[in-house]
Amino acid sequence: MTTVLKASGLTVERSDGASIIEDVSLSLERGEVMGIVGESGSGKSTLALALLAYARHGVRIAGGAVRVADTDMLELDPASLRKARREVVAYVAQDPGAALNPMLTLGTLLTEGLAGGKAEKVTRAREILRKVGLPDDEAFLQRRPRQLSGGQQQRIAIAMAVIAQPKLIILDEPTTGLDVSTRAKVLDLIRQLCISDNLTAIYVSHDLAVIANVADHVTVMYGGQVVEQGPMQEILATPRHPYTRALLDAVPSLQARQALRPIRGRVPAVGEAPDGCIFSDRCDYAVEACNTRPALRLVGGTQVRCVRPELGETFGVRPQAVGHSDGQVANSSAVLQANGVNAFYGYRQILFDVSLKVEPGRCLAVVGESGSGKSTLSRCLIGLHGNVTGEFRLDGKPLPLTVGQRDQYARQRLQYIFQNPNASLNPRRTIGASLAAALANRPEADSRPGAVIAEALERVGISPDLGTRYPAELSGGQRQRVAIARALVANPAVLLCDEVTSSLDVSVQASVIELLRSLLADGLGMLFVTHDLAVVRNIADTVAVLSAGRVVEQGEAHKVLGTPSHPYTQSLLANTLQLPTEAADLDMPVIAPRQSAAGSR
């Protein structure tokens, strides 16, 4: 085997000397794929960029070596480095919409960095387009990125990375936010390219289910350190570090509704690392010996940074199924109902005769691929889409189609949670001020606004003391919880959740799902828009499957997901990634943690 990547002792520091990643070593042979996994803030993307000999402003590569094939990346002059980033190592960013120059045609994007004559470069561009499953005709080459779907843009970004036949390709969260079908196609494309072109790849993700389906090896990052590293199957079967086990426990299952286990606490910020084990303050298995910083050592076939690696032989099984309302018939009337809804953009019809209902204490999930009409439906229900026909009913009474026609009572009873809290929270308002503004729809709370805001923040697991902070001072998971709290202060009857977990870490996603479950237990009705059927299985009571604006299947969640009748639903299920069964169904004795799961999480 030929070693393509050899990184040793790689350290990246902030200008004040605080380590962002510390003493990281990686090795990959030709044709192998390594997954780098961890929560946001673990150092994954910083490591990926350091392999390109790149560091963001205010950050420097302080030590170590990166060798790709015969090229020492950290010793190159600027001109040689630019050439190496095209011919030796290539990078695929998370957001192709931001990475692709909107002013250039696809043909120019693909060929501008290639050597040779025009005809030769165009021939190579057509060849790579066919390889990534896109048209190769002249009309397609003349398109611009804005004329493509998100999945097509990501394929173009991958094509640009591999067209010069580099030795190593680095993919930084390339499927985050894509629907399940598009994600499956992109992952299959990456696998096929690694096989057909014998490519070596680094795949960065926070989702172990994605990594398990594409990688040969995995490196688990936490707080800038490698805490576990080894063959993918061995780490799935016997995770030896408590953090790896915790990441696995947070992944929702498509097979059964589970009590997901979010990891308590948060990843330490740069410069906040403790003297001992960096994970000790979040670990349920920490002992006095964890006050000493552990070294990375070989145990079995994996390397683990833990003073108690024997835990890997005694970790408990994946979370067990929990009771839910699948198969039960709701006794209460619908709090929100839509009948024969049609929606249009100009003369183009988007929704066709859609009917559904949301019941108190139950969650209706609306699922489908991007472009199926899910978000348009949710915007119609909240009254933000003007070109709509049909009938809405709230508490059994007619509900005007647009928000401008609705009274204060209706606006209070229906609350919307957007996908991106960064865009929905005013960055110039404190958290407390944002929640106070939402109280305008709840006049009876005017006499005690401070208490109402504090209660809402505590309900979502946010300390009221954070009310004086601004959104930029919170983590992504905290911002999403604040967005939920802002909806709760209005004392709604129905929450409309639009892809609220799609871009969250698996641990943060687990905590948000458990929070939403608790709101359902309080009697709140919920419409949950998503493309992730594993998340649906763990929160929804009923499911409506949308395809091209039409409901093609609808019913109780356990029936729709267990025995789907429509081919479209079957294809969504087939494309939903899961952890391999042998890793999810381990039959191992359980070691008692320092605190019980219920008490600590």
Side-chain angles (χ1 to χ4, degrees), residues 312-330:
E313 306 296 336
T314 53
F315 278 132
V317 297
R318 290 258 303 159
Q320 298 299 308
V322 296
H324 53 88
S325 59
D326 278 355
Q328 299 177 7
V329 178

Side-chain angles (χ1 to χ4, degrees), residues 249-253 258-262 319 509-510 513-514 517 538:
D249 286 347
V251 178
S253 169
Q258 297 174 331
L260 301 180
R261 300 174 184 170
Q509 174 183 270
I513 291 173
E514 291 298 317
R517 275 185 188 160
N538 281 269

Side-chain angles (χ1 to χ4, degrees), residues 525-542:
M526 191 177 300
L527 182 136
F528 192 91
V529 172
T530 185
H531 60 255
D532 192 332
L533 295 188
V535 170
V536 170
R537 190 67 180 88
N538 281 269
I539 193 171
D541 300 296
T542 55

Side-chain angles (χ1 to χ4, degrees), residues 452-471:
V452 172
I453 290 172
E455 288 171 7
L457 289 173
E458 288 177 347
R459 184 71 181 83
V460 300
I462 296 290
S463 170
D465 294 340
L466 298 183
T468 58
R469 295 192 182 182
Y470 290 87

Side-chain angles (χ1 to χ4, degrees), residues 25-355:
S25 297
L26 306 172
S27 181
L28 272 180
E29 306 296 328
R30 188 176 182 186
E32 292 183 329
V33 179
M34 174 173 283
I36 299 177
V37 68
E39 296 170 280
S40 294
S42 293
K44 306 185 303 296
S45 293
T46 299
L47 172 58
L49 293 173
L51 296 176
L52 293 160
Y54 177 83
R56 296 185 178 94
H57 180 70
V59 172
R60 68 186 185 93
I61 300 175
V66 178
R67 193 168 195 86
V68 181
D70 297 323
T71 303
D72 191 335
M73 296 294 294
L74 300 185
E75 297 297 325
L76 297 177
D77 60 75
S80 299
L81 185 57
R82 284 194 296 272
K83 183 179 180 183
R85 287 174 181 163
R86 180 175 66 250
E87 299 176 358
V88 178
V89 58
Y91 182 78
V92 178
Q94 176 176 341
D95 183 4
L100 301 176
N101 190 327
M103 302 303 294
L104 301 181
T105 65
L106 303 183
T108 302
L109 287 170
L110 288 167
T111 60
E112 63 177 345
L114 294 180
K118 181 178 179 180
E120 182 183 353
K121 291 193 287 186
V122 171
T123 298
R124 176 62 179 155
R126 293 183 191 278
E127 177 188 343
I128 201 66
L129 284 173
R130 291 192 297 270
K131 192 167 284 189
V132 300
L134 291 174
D136 66 342
D137 56 86
E138 185 62 29
F140 189 80
L141 286 169
Q142 292 305 311
R143 287 192 189 183
R144 287 176 166 78
R146 65 178 180 274
Q147 297 173 290
L148 306 182
S149 68
Q152 288 176 320
Q153 288 179 349
Q154 195 59 276
R155 285 169 179 260
I156 288 294
I158 293 172
M160 289 172 59
V162 302
I163 192 168
Q165 298 178 310
K167 306 298 183 183
L168 174 69
I169 180 172
I170 298 172
L171 304 109
D172 191 358
E173 303 263 17
T175 59
T176 298
L178 298 180
D179 62 60
V180 291
S181 298
T182 305
R183 179 175 64 181
K185 292 173 184 176
V186 171
L187 289 175
D188 185 61
L189 167 63
I190 294 167
R191 280 192 294 264
Q192 292 303 320
L193 287 173
C194 288
I195 294 170
S196 62
D197 292 16
N198 217 8
L199 268 177
T200 304
I202 294 283
Y203 194 106
V204 176
S205 179
H206 63 258
D207 191 340
L208 264 172
V210 170
I211 294 296
N213 280 269
V214 74
D216 305 298
H217 308 276
V218 63
T219 294
V220 183
M221 297 282 295
Y222 182 79
Q225 297 180 7
V226 174
V227 296
E228 190 160 5
Q229 188 177 77
M232 184 76 247
Q233 289 303 319
E234 184 160 349
I235 286 182
L236 281 177
T238 311
R240 297 184 180 277
H241 198 283
Y243 180 62
T244 310
R245 177 75 264 177
L247 289 177
L248 288 168
D249 286 347
V251 178
S253 169
L254 186 59
Q255 305 306 316
R257 182 179 294 200
Q258 297 174 331
L260 301 180
R261 300 174 184 170
I263 309 172
R264 57 186 171 85
R266 63 175 178 83
V267 177
V270 176
E272 291 183 356
D275 293 333
C277 173
I278 197 167
F279 187 63
S280 59
D281 61 343
R282 303 177 73 189
C283 182
D284 291 335
Y285 303 92
V287 294
E288 187 175 350
C290 298
N291 294 326
T292 301
R293 184 173 180 177
L296 195 64
R297 54 178 171 147
L298 187 64
V299 180
T302 64
Q303 293 192 84
V304 59
R305 192 184 300 274
C306 183
V307 299
R308 305 177 69 195
E310 71 279 359
L311 288 174
E313 306 296 336
T314 53
F315 278 132
V317 297
R318 290 258 303 159
Q320 298 299 308
V322 296
H324 53 88
S325 59
D326 278 355
Q328 299 177 7
V329 178
N331 296 319
S332 54
S333 300
V335 63
L336 176 65
Q337 194 160 356
N339 298 312
V341 174
N342 299 281
F344 305 81
Y345 284 103
Y347 294 103
R348 186 162 66 97
Q349 188 166 357
I350 303 299
L351 296 178
F352 300 82
D353 195 29
V354 174
S355 298

